[in-house]
Amino acid sequence: MRITDMTAVELAAAIRAGTTTAVEAAETMLARIREQEALYHCYVTVDEKGALAQARDVQAQIEAGELTGPLAGVPVAVKDNLCTKGLLTTCSSKILSNFVPAYSAEAVVNLQKAGAVILGKTNMDEFAMGSTTETSACGVTKNPWNTAHVPGGSSGGSAAAVAAAECVCALGSDTGGSIRQPASYCGVVGMKPTYGTVSRYGLIAYGSSLDQIGPLARDVTDCAAMLEVIASHDEKDSTSVERQDTDFRTALIDDVQGMRIGIPNDYFGDGLDGAVGAAVLKAADTLAQKGAVVERFDLSLVDYAIPAYYTIASAEASSNLERFDGIKYGYRTAEYAGLHNMYKKSRSEGFGEEVKRRIMLGSFVLSSGYYDAYYLKALRVKALIRQAFDEAFSRYDVILGPVAPTTAPLLGESLADPIKMYLGDIYTIAVNLAGLPGISVPCGTDGNGLPIGLQLIGDCFQEKKLLRAAYAYEQARGRFPLASEKEGGAI
């Protein structure tokens, strides 16, 4: 089997067995990046020299018996809003175009401790604000299944890199669906863990109460292996949770007999593409045939999730992005008259349109006279959404539905109508508002050959139930190809 066809677990096993090496794996992926990047633009920064140095060091540790885990020697990519010591970290924004961190994010450190080889930093929507990777100041990423379409966002570069076999797996971040939606569009597996499971230390914040780092991978097994590595309690992150149940690979059991699965009627109304709905319900039937108890129910409050999310997320963004002022680090305008003019010009020139839109919205809802009317009301809705999920999980182990209303839109289609782009997050954002875990698994393709994602949602700290259900479905479905395996590459 070629290196580019292997999953992370398969590749790590091959390296341990001596049939290939960490250096050969890194060289293979770097060659593929050189060959394809002009077409797909998955990366902002590729660290060839650093990756090969890491690979040589990791190979020596594997041969010495010091590294034996499921990611040892595996080439991975990291979303460009995760700090990497000594390596450019831009958030795909002009305002951070020259920022080189002095430390690495805790999730990146955990990957490196496990022997993963960091190839580079992937493209993203600027400061994770967008659903298509088109708001990036570094240029658009294209979907490897069809380059006329977006890869999703904001972790579109990570999802596209996995789909195009330009890495074996990748890290993304999920504030309102930013791992699960691009995973769905690109035909890979993506998981958002329970809030607090993975340290946010070193993640450049968008919405602090919503952001969570998670894996994008080729299959559910790789996803579980990555999550085991990056999940850890971290005293540097006050929201980090100490857990004893992070042996996620133990949940990979092909058995859903008696598992209770709920399908919200609210997720199958107007706006859902027929092919998407049919593929998701077919996946539900597959799980029912394997012994799961599948029922329809009313979740409620779905219509309120989007306004609550964008109110809260924009408010937190306006606060988090206040630090980018042209003084401490990052971009500074060349010509200015006085301090306040320098602030204004640096931020006006450094931030893109979507980021400025959300900063202004956030500043508005936090302003005197509107704070109670908008922000506090959104927080109350957030609590009600959490209660609705609590009630649902008193009856069901897992909630099943679509990831997005449609398959990947055409490039340029979404940015013309920001409200339509926001509505595309309707099935994912409630998971972040409630702090729940969710996973996207490919469940078919539409009439144009574009992937469709199945979303499974679990109660807090119930990732193992999600992984078990996802793994069982994956076993019944059979292997889902990467875009790179399609004849001639992109369709």
Side-chain angles (χ1 to χ4, degrees):
M1 185 184 291
R2 298 179 306 170
I3 286 172
T4 52
D5 295 334
M6 294 182 186
T7 66
V9 171
E10 288 169 347
L11 179 55
I15 293 171
R16 288 196 303 274
T19 57
T20 187
T21 67
V23 176
E24 185 179 355
E27 288 174 340
T28 300
M29 290 298 168
L30 291 168
R32 195 165 183 86
I33 292 168
R34 287 193 297 270
E35 177 186 326
Q36 299 185 146
E37 263 302 273
L39 177 61
Y40 299 137
H41 189 40
C42 302
Y43 287 84
V44 173
T45 303
V46 178
D47 184 23
E48 288 203 28
K49 184 178 178 181
L52 291 173
Q54 290 175 64
R56 287 190 288 270
D57 183 51
V58 165
Q59 183 63 34
Q61 292 181 67
I62 291 170
E63 290 173 0
E66 298 168 8
L67 285 173
T68 59
L71 296 184
V74 174
V76 304
V78 174
K79 187 176 179 179
D80 203 33
N81 60 348
L82 286 157
C83 288
T84 41
K85 184 177 180 179
L87 187 62
L88 197 65
T89 300
T90 72
C91 283
S92 293
S93 177
K94 182 178 178 180
I95 208 159
L96 281 179
S97 57
N98 60 359
F99 176 56
V100 179
Y103 65 97
S104 289
E106 188 71 8
V108 174
V109 170
N110 287 341
L111 274 183
Q112 291 176 315
K113 285 179 180 176
V117 175
I118 310 296
L119 296 172
K121 311 297 289 294
T122 54
N123 198 19
M124 56 182 283
D125 283 296
E126 184 181 7
F127 281 100
M129 298 182 192
S131 305
T132 63
T133 312
E134 292 176 288
T135 70
S136 168
C138 304
V140 302
T141 296
K142 297 176 181 178
N143 192 320
W145 284 81
N146 187 323
T147 54
H149 292 255
V150 303
S154 62
S155 305
S158 289
V162 175
E166 291 188 7
C167 65
V168 182
C169 44
L171 286 184
S173 67
D174 194 311
T175 307
S178 291
I179 288 174
R180 291 160 287 151
Q181 185 248 42
S184 173
Y185 285 178
C186 291
V188 298
V189 178
M191 187 170 192
K192 176 217 170 286
T194 303
Y195 185 78
T197 296
V198 181
S199 170
R200 292 185 299 110
Y201 179 76
L203 171 66
I204 299 173
Y206 163 19
S208 302
S209 71
L210 306 166
D211 297 338
Q212 187 61 186
I213 298 164
L216 289 124
R218 299 183 177 187
D219 64 8
V220 175
T221 301
D222 281 5
C223 201
M226 279 196 79
L227 190 56
E228 276 189 3
V229 167
I230 62 175
S232 66
H233 176 61
D234 183 8
E235 293 181 353
K236 300 185 292 298
D237 174 9
S238 62
T239 63
S240 176
V241 177
E242 189 164 3
R243 298 181 59 173
Q244 306 299 323
D245 60 340
T246 57
D247 53 340
F248 297 112
R249 283 180 294 162
T250 62
L252 301 177
I253 302 168
D254 185 11
D255 178 17
V256 288
Q257 189 71 37
M259 181 177 279
R260 298 165 300 158
I261 298 176
I263 302 176
N265 290 316
D266 322 65
Y267 286 8
F268 289 85
D270 294 340
L272 180 66
D273 180 82
V276 173
V280 170
L281 291 176
K282 183 180 178 182
D285 288 342
T286 299
L287 289 168
Q289 290 166 16
K290 291 176 75 73
V293 179
V294 180
E295 296 177 356
R296 300 287 285 261
F297 77 105
D298 292 324
L299 181 59
S300 77
L301 297 171
V302 170
D303 292 340
Y304 299 99
I306 285 179
Y309 168 80
Y310 279 100
T311 299
I312 294 167
S314 297
E316 294 184 6
S318 73
S319 176
N320 282 325
L321 271 61
E322 186 178 3
R323 71 194 70 176
F324 304 111
D325 55 12
I327 295 289
K328 294 177 281 293
Y329 47 78
Y331 173 79
R332 180 185 296 181
T333 187
E335 297 181 5
Y336 53 90
L339 182 63
H340 289 287
N341 182 252
M342 189 270 288
Y343 287 156
K344 182 178 179 180
K345 287 190 68 179
S346 295
R347 288 170 66 81
S348 295
E349 296 169 10
F351 288 131
E353 292 303 313
E354 184 60 32
V355 173
K356 285 188 275 194
R357 182 182 293 116
R358 298 194 194 193
I359 289 173
M360 288 190 290
L361 174 61
S363 298
F364 172 76
V365 300
L366 291 175
S367 62
S368 177
Y370 297 100
Y371 183 86
D372 291 346
Y374 295 104
Y375 183 65
L376 288 186
K377 189 175 289 185
L379 291 180
R380 287 194 287 271
V381 171
K382 178 182 178 181
L384 291 172
I385 289 171
R386 174 70 241 196
Q387 288 176 18
F389 275 112
D390 285 343
E391 184 181 338
F393 286 122
S394 69
R395 290 180 285 156
Y396 303 111
D397 296 303
V398 171
I399 293 172
L400 180 152
V403 177
T406 66
T407 52
L410 289 165
L411 289 162
E413 207 174 63
S414 300
L415 291 189
D417 186 355
I419 300 300
K420 184 179 179 182
M421 180 173 72
Y422 299 165
L423 290 171
D425 298 333
I426 189 167
Y427 306 130
T428 55
I429 53 179
V431 172
N432 298 77
L433 288 169
L436 305 172
I439 190 169
S440 171
V441 183
C443 66
T445 56
D446 69 2
N448 296 316
L450 293 168
I452 297 169
L454 163 72
Q455 181 174 212
L456 298 169
I457 303 167
D459 201 0
C460 284
F461 308 117
Q462 297 300 316
E463 283 88 352
K464 288 184 178 181
K465 287 182 180 178
L466 283 189
L467 290 165
R468 179 180 157 199
Y471 181 78
Y473 168 71
E474 192 178 66
Q475 294 302 300
R477 182 206 64 200
R479 190 175 186 278
F480 194 85
L482 294 177
S484 61
E485 297 170 42
K486 306 297 284 187
E487 187 177 351
I491 300 170

